[in-house]
Amino acid sequence: MSDFGTERVPLRNPGREVLRQFVIHAENKVGWLNDVVAALNAEDVHVMAISVLDTTDSAVIRMITNYPDETRVILTSLKLSFTERKVIAVEIPREGSLKQVTNALLHAEINIHYVYAFLVQPNQKPALALALEDEDVALDVLASHQVRILSQDDLAR
């Protein structure tokens, strides 16, 4: 899978940007997810967080990878139907930290669309991906409540 032709350029400069989630709409077929993960891993791109919503005919896979620009190239080369969305990832260093996050968002009246956990622990601490009604306001609110927000740089390996 390493012959992406002219599209293959060094993209590994994640920086301090917020995380990007890929939402893949796929046929519900045995082995499909394994094929996608194998294609990503072949290019040293790893799934850091994942959520799968399964229906009879199709599946919606939400994933965050360590290198989103390369992920886009790979998913495009596989001719998959996908979109990208900005999500916020926060560290949950202790049991009470989740309440700190939800309380801060409640006081700012920011709706949480969905939440899922990371497969890895960036900085050796559990983390959650949050899809929110207003990410820009949420970033400010969470920072003001001393919640550590992860960036793409925290996931680069």
Side-chain angles (χ1 to χ4, degrees):
M1 166 140 283
S2 57
D3 55 278
F4 291 112
T6 58
E7 293 180 27
R8 185 75 174 138
V9 294
L11 301 172
R12 296 191 177 188
N13 183 15
R16 299 298 304 166
E17 68 181 81
V18 295
L19 302 182
R20 282 183 281 153
Q21 162 192 267
F22 292 87
V23 181
I24 305 167
H25 302 275
E27 182 181 355
N28 192 355
K29 189 168 98 178
V30 173
W32 180 90
L33 183 59
N34 182 67
D35 293 343
V36 172
V37 171
L40 293 168
N41 287 173
E43 297 298 326
D44 202 29
V45 174
H46 301 282
V47 176
M48 309 304 274
I50 188 167
S51 170
V52 178
L53 175 62
D54 179 49
T55 66
T56 305
D57 298 334
S58 64
V60 176
I61 296 93
R62 293 180 174 104
M63 70 171 62
I64 297 169
T65 64
N66 55 339
Y67 296 111
D69 291 334
E70 288 188 0
T71 300
R72 183 184 318 105
V73 171
I74 294 165
L75 295 178
T76 300
S77 75
L78 294 172
K79 296 181 178 28
L80 297 177
S81 172
F82 69 92
T83 58
E84 291 181 52
R85 177 185 177 161
K86 182 169 47 170
V87 292
I88 295 175
V90 296
E91 281 186 354
I92 305 294
R94 59 194 170 282
E95 294 84 6
S97 299
L98 180 57
K99 174 72 171 145
Q100 179 183 3
V101 171
T102 58
N103 195 45
L105 295 171
L106 171 65
H107 285 293
E109 297 183 5
I110 297 173
N111 192 28
I112 301 171
H113 294 293
Y114 52 86
V115 177
Y116 56 99
F118 276 71
L119 297 172
V120 297
Q121 293 187 341
N123 308 317
Q124 285 65 55
K125 295 183 179 162
L128 293 175
L130 302 161
L132 304 167
E133 189 172 56
D134 189 333
E135 288 88 4
D136 295 327
V137 173
L139 285 169
D140 293 338
V141 167
L142 292 169
S144 73
H145 283 82
Q146 288 74 48
V147 174
R148 185 169 188 307
I149 299 163
L150 301 176
S151 70
Q152 204 60 55
D153 196 41
D154 292 304
L155 302 184
R157 296 177 175 252

